[in-house]
Amino acid sequence: MIPKSGGDYAYINEAFGPLPAFLYLWVGLLVLVPTGNAITALTFAQYILQQIWPSCEPPYEAVRLLAALVTCFLTFINCYDVKWATRVQDAFTGTKILALLMIVLAGGWVLVSGGTKFWTSNLMDGTNSEPGYVALAFYSGLFSYSGWNYLNFVTEELKDPYRNLPRAIIISLPLVTVIYVLTNLAYYVVLTKEELLSSTAVAVTFGDKLFGAMSWTIPFFVACSTFGALNGAIFASSRLFFVGARQGHLPKAIALINIHHFTPVPSLIFLCIVTLILLIIEDVYILINYVSFVEALFTLMSVCGLLWLRLKRPDMERPIKVNIILPIAFFIICAFLVTLPCYVRPLEVGVGIIIILSGIPVYYVFIYWKSKPPWLDKLGYSLTTVCAKMFMCVLQEDKNL
């Protein structure tokens, strides 16, 4: 119905107007996108370096440096050629599925060959079943599945989106869900509860316990998996900032495109810089709860937009239709994830709300206020100029290559 790139940003903008859309862009810029990319890059570095320091934690500086290097490398690939980025994605997605199937098959072999401790152990002992804590548990689980809506960020670049978008969703979501659930079951079959909780790299612990001399294959494959995941996240999320700049919500230079390779180079560089800044944070993983609450809130707003448009614009052309029960059920789940953690973790919820609300004065000063003082216009122009110069430098390097 809204065949635009930008995913939830485009949908919220269409349903509720520019201010809510800008706030989604604002938290995407500050928290959602770079935090996810930073954590994925750190996971890649952790699994690679764990093999060099098998008996202890890899040095903090080494993990951060390798995470920064892989972020810059994948940004370069995405800047240089879309085909390169998609080939990397295809190759490493295949590697990821192979690695996960190895874990699933190994866990299944242990289970059928007498691994009964899975059925007899009390894995759920000490579980807090209060609804608020259940919602928080979903936050960490959903973080593993984040990326399910990334294809919607590049709708304009899809060939025949009305045919290929539903097909990709119908194939990928059930496949990923089944493989991820079976992978976690394999972990529970092989590892004890204490081993799971104490491990910083569960797949490495799993491989060491089960694969012997070939245990190195698991961290290698997992590193390949996170490498591909980071590439896909950079490819998709850079389009969010590109579309936001095209709408006038970010410096206009970020909406520029390399005319030779048709890639949004300034947006990719901009995203890379913000991700590198977040890598400096010592415990970036603590941001997961902030990220998940904010993301659940805007997902709730996005599905509200779908229901709102069905009510207010019933005659809009809808090439892809689903039964109204599905978005209503989705709305209820999102409402559960947004409201219940409020009394359990008020600090995280409060910080998330503050981050969202901090975008309101930015919107009114830099975007809505048309007769602002000249010095504010100059500030915005300076930001645009810096982005433009970065873009020209990349173009020059591209030309030299």
Side-chain angles (χ1 to χ4, degrees):
M1 186 174 68
I2 305 172
K4 299 176 182 178
S5 293
D8 297 276
Y9 171 80
Y11 310 145
I12 293 171
N13 189 46
E14 186 77 24
F16 302 119
L19 177 57
F22 174 80
L23 293 179
Y24 175 78
L25 185 68
W26 175 252
V27 296
L29 170 64
L30 290 181
V31 182
L32 292 180
V33 173
T35 296
N37 290 358
I39 291 174
T40 306
L42 288 170
T43 305
F44 168 83
Q46 185 80 27
Y47 272 92
I48 288 290
L49 296 176
Q50 193 74 51
Q51 298 307 295
I52 303 175
W53 286 275
S55 59
C56 62
E57 282 291 306
Y60 173 88
E61 295 80 4
V63 173
R64 257 56 186 182
L65 180 59
L66 183 56
L69 286 174
V70 73
T71 301
C72 293
F73 175 68
L74 287 174
T75 299
F76 168 75
I77 288 177
N78 279 271
C79 286
Y80 192 72
D81 197 339
V82 171
K83 289 183 178 180
W84 282 20
T86 54
R87 285 169 186 163
V88 167
Q89 194 61 37
D90 291 343
F92 284 93
T93 297
T95 306
K96 167 191 258 188
I97 292 175
L98 176 62
L100 292 172
L101 289 178
M102 284 175 59
I103 293 172
V104 170
L105 292 174
W109 177 79
V110 171
L111 187 63
V112 299
S113 61
T116 58
K117 67 178 181 180
F118 172 68
W119 307 109
T120 58
S121 62
N122 297 316
L123 288 173
M124 305 306 289
D125 278 354
T127 297
N128 190 331
S129 57
E130 286 187 40
Y133 287 100
V134 172
L136 286 176
F138 268 98
Y139 280 176
S140 293
L142 289 171
F143 187 83
S144 300
Y145 288 88
S146 61
W148 56 270
N149 59 344
Y150 274 0
L151 200 58
N152 298 62
F153 283 78
V154 293
T155 304
E156 294 173 24
E157 299 176 55
L158 289 176
K159 294 179 179 178
D160 192 5
Y162 294 132
R163 175 173 173 267
N164 290 326
L165 183 61
R167 177 181 291 181
I169 292 171
I170 290 168
I171 293 172
S172 64
L173 289 185
L175 180 66
V176 169
T177 303
V178 169
I179 291 177
Y180 276 21
V181 169
L182 291 177
T183 300
N184 279 282
L185 287 174
Y187 288 151
Y188 294 139
V189 167
V190 174
L191 303 176
T192 65
K193 180 179 177 180
E194 291 70 25
E195 287 172 329
L196 279 167
L197 293 175
S198 62
S199 175
T200 56
V202 176
V204 172
T205 308
F206 180 94
D208 289 342
K209 194 166 183 177
L210 215 57
F211 289 110
M214 296 299 292
S215 61
W216 61 270
T217 58
I218 294 298
F220 170 76
F221 281 131
V222 174
C224 291
S225 167
T226 51
F227 186 87
L230 181 59
N231 177 72
I234 290 172
F235 174 79
S237 54
S238 62
R239 273 61 179 177
L240 169 62
F241 301 130
F242 163 76
V243 173
R246 191 174 63 183
Q247 289 289 117
H249 288 170
L250 286 175
K252 291 182 180 179
I254 296 176
L256 294 174
I257 294 177
N258 184 318
I259 60 173
H260 300 294
H261 302 298
F262 306 107
T263 55
V265 174
S267 178
L268 286 159
I269 295 175
F270 181 63
L271 173 60
C272 179
I273 292 171
V274 179
T275 304
L276 294 178
I277 292 171
L278 272 185
L279 286 174
I280 299 171
I281 298 175
E282 184 170 352
D283 189 7
V284 72
Y285 295 91
I286 203 171
L287 294 174
I288 287 179
N289 280 343
Y290 302 128
V291 168
S292 299
F293 169 76
V294 172
E295 190 169 24
L297 181 59
F298 279 102
T299 302
L300 175 66
M301 185 180 293
S302 187
V303 73
C304 279
L306 186 149
L307 296 171
W308 176 255
L309 289 174
R310 282 206 177 186
L311 178 67
K312 290 297 181 180
R313 303 185 198 173
D315 298 326
M316 283 186 73
E317 184 183 358
R318 289 170 168 84
I320 303 170
K321 293 192 72 172
V322 296
N323 191 291
I324 192 68
I325 294 173
L326 187 60
I328 289 175
F330 192 24
F331 170 82
I332 293 170
I333 293 168
C334 290
F336 164 79
L337 292 174
V338 168
T339 56
L340 289 180
C342 292
Y343 77 93
V344 177
R345 295 284 179 85
L347 177 61
E348 283 89 340
V349 173
V351 170
I353 292 173
I354 289 171
I355 292 172
I356 295 170
L357 296 180
S358 66
I360 294 177
V362 176
Y363 173 81
Y364 278 105
V365 170
F366 289 99
I367 298 169
Y368 184 80
W369 190 10
K370 301 303 180 184
S371 57
K372 64 178 75 68
W375 65 270
L376 276 175
D377 275 330
K378 289 180 181 178
L379 178 60
Y381 175 77
S382 299
L383 291 171
T384 303
T385 304
V386 169
C387 292
K389 286 183 177 178
M390 289 167 53
F391 180 53
M392 293 306 294
C393 288
V394 172
L395 279 179
Q396 187 60 43
E397 287 299 320
D398 182 34
K399 189 175 180 181
N400 292 339
L401 287 172

